């Protein structure tokens, strides 16, 4: 069965410091991976996706993610965190039908 | 372009009552999804439509949940009768081509509280 795990419920980082939100996956076949962000009382917003190609994927708002096949990971990163990055982040795997299977989410708290 | 519209934004009902949610996807998007997001969990797909046909409803509790997309545009999700465990945010999403690993665009969601 396809699944995604986000091992940290919450990540705390100071503004200006680099941030990493972790994601590991378990899929049969090629993994197609997404990151979404959810702000309070709003729907999910697409950040980036890995389908094929370069292992470092660049996305919206300065975020990037590194696909690592040997470690079955797809960690989300940003070189310098902003207070406005504080939100709930979801990693997901997409099936060929378009169905998204989400991790449980990681709350990112960026403190000034 | 206009985003995915959902209504109502909030709904409070008592258990055993019925409730309906409405979604209007982005114009031209053939694929529509309904997800259930329970507090502290990631969204879980309930049902996926391609135009007005059902692609996946494997996780839809069919004894109480129903959904339709009669004209291949907007969609309604119904719960009858509601249970306490149905308290969640119901998210609607749409995409232009489900088979191309395209991003899905999400609406703001309907927060349902069952008392």
């Amino acid at each position: 069965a396809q699944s995604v795990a986000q091992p940290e419920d919450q990540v705390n980082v100071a503004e200006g410091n680099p941030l990493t939100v972790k994601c590991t996956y378990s899929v049969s076949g090629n993994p197609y991976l997404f990151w979404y962000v959810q702000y309070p009382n709003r729907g999910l917003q697409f950040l980036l996706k890995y389908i094929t190609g370069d292992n470092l994927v660049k996305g919206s708002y300065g975020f990037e993610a590194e696909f690592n096949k040997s470690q079955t990971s797809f960690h989300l990163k940003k070189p310098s965190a902003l207070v406005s990055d504080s939100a709930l982040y979801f990693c997901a795997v997409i099936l060929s039908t378009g169905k998204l299977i989400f991790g449980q989410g990681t709350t990112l708290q960026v403190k000034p | 372009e206009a985003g995915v519209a959902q209504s109502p934004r909030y709904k409070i009902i008592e258990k055993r009552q019925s409730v309906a949610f409405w979604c209007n996807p982005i114009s031209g998007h053939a694929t529509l999804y309904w997800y259930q997001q329970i507090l502290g969990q990631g969204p879980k797909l309930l049902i996926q439509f391609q135009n007005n046909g059902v692609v996946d409803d494997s996780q839809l509790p069919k004894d109480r949940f129903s959904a339709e997309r009669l004209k291949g545009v907007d969609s309604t999700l119904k719960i009858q009768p509601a249970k306490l465990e149905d308290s969640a945010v119901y998210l609607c999403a749409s995409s232009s081509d489900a088979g191309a690993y395209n991003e899905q665009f999400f609406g703001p969601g309907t927060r349902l509280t069952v008392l």
Side-chain angles (χ1 to χ4, degrees):
Chain A
Q2 324 281 21
S3 66
V4 168
Q6 294 179 242
E8 302 157 316
D9 288 337
Q10 182 158 326
V11 170
N12 297 309
V13 64
E15 187 175 32
N17 283 0
L19 69 88
T20 299
V21 182
K22 296 180 180 177
C23 171
T24 59
Y25 63 88
S26 175
V27 304
S28 54
N30 293 322
Y32 302 112
L33 300 158
F34 283 66
W35 275 100
Y36 278 84
V37 60
Q38 187 174 36
Y39 297 99
N41 298 316
R42 295 173 66 177
L44 280 73
Q45 296 179 31
F46 170 78
L47 280 179
L48 51 80
K49 66 181 178 183
Y50 172 82
I51 302 300
T52 187
D54 195 348
N55 289 344
L56 186 63
V57 180
K58 295 190 181 298
S60 307
Y61 313 120
F63 284 93
E64 58 190 24
E66 186 171 11
F67 172 71
N68 188 317
K69 188 172 184 178
S70 62
Q71 297 185 7
T72 63
S73 66
F74 189 54
H75 301 333
L76 182 70
K77 300 181 179 184
K78 188 173 183 181
S80 179
L82 300 172
V83 172
S84 57
D85 292 330
S86 298
L88 183 56
Y89 290 81
F90 289 99
C91 182
V93 61
I94 190 168
L95 307 184
S96 59
T97 59
K99 176 179 181 178
L100 282 168
I101 298 174
F102 288 89
Q104 66 269 39
T106 298
T107 298
L108 174 65
Q109 191 75 261
V110 181
K111 298 188 177 180
Chain B
E1 61 182 4
V4 176
Q6 290 188 247
S7 67
R9 291 295 309 276
Y10 305 92
K11 191 73 177 178
I12 301 174
I13 61 172
E14 296 189 349
K15 60 183 179 184
R16 290 187 290 274
Q17 287 187 321
S18 62
V19 65
F21 313 128
W22 175 82
C23 171
N24 194 32
I26 291 173
S27 177
H29 279 191
T31 311
L32 185 147
Y33 311 79
W34 283 102
Y35 290 87
Q36 180 193 57
Q37 185 179 11
I38 294 173
L39 186 65
Q41 300 180 19
K44 180 185 77 173
L45 181 70
L46 291 176
I47 189 167
Q48 176 184 346
F49 292 95
Q50 179 73 18
N51 296 309
N52 60 353
V54 176
V55 174
D56 184 345
D57 63 356
S58 57
Q59 297 189 84
L60 186 73
K62 298 180 184 64
D63 58 334
R64 298 184 300 106
F65 286 65
S66 65
E68 60 183 15
R69 193 186 184 199
L70 293 177
K71 297 182 179 178
V73 181
D74 58 345
S75 175
T76 302
L77 176 70
K78 297 180 181 178
I79 307 175
Q80 182 178 11
K83 292 185 175 182
L84 296 177
E85 58 261 36
D86 298 332
S87 294
V89 176
Y90 292 83
L91 296 166
C92 179
S94 70
S95 67
S96 57
D97 183 354
Y101 308 107
N102 288 337
E103 65 183 275
Q104 295 176 21
F105 295 83
F106 284 80
T110 296
R111 182 177 299 275
L112 173 67
T113 301
V114 182
L115 302 175

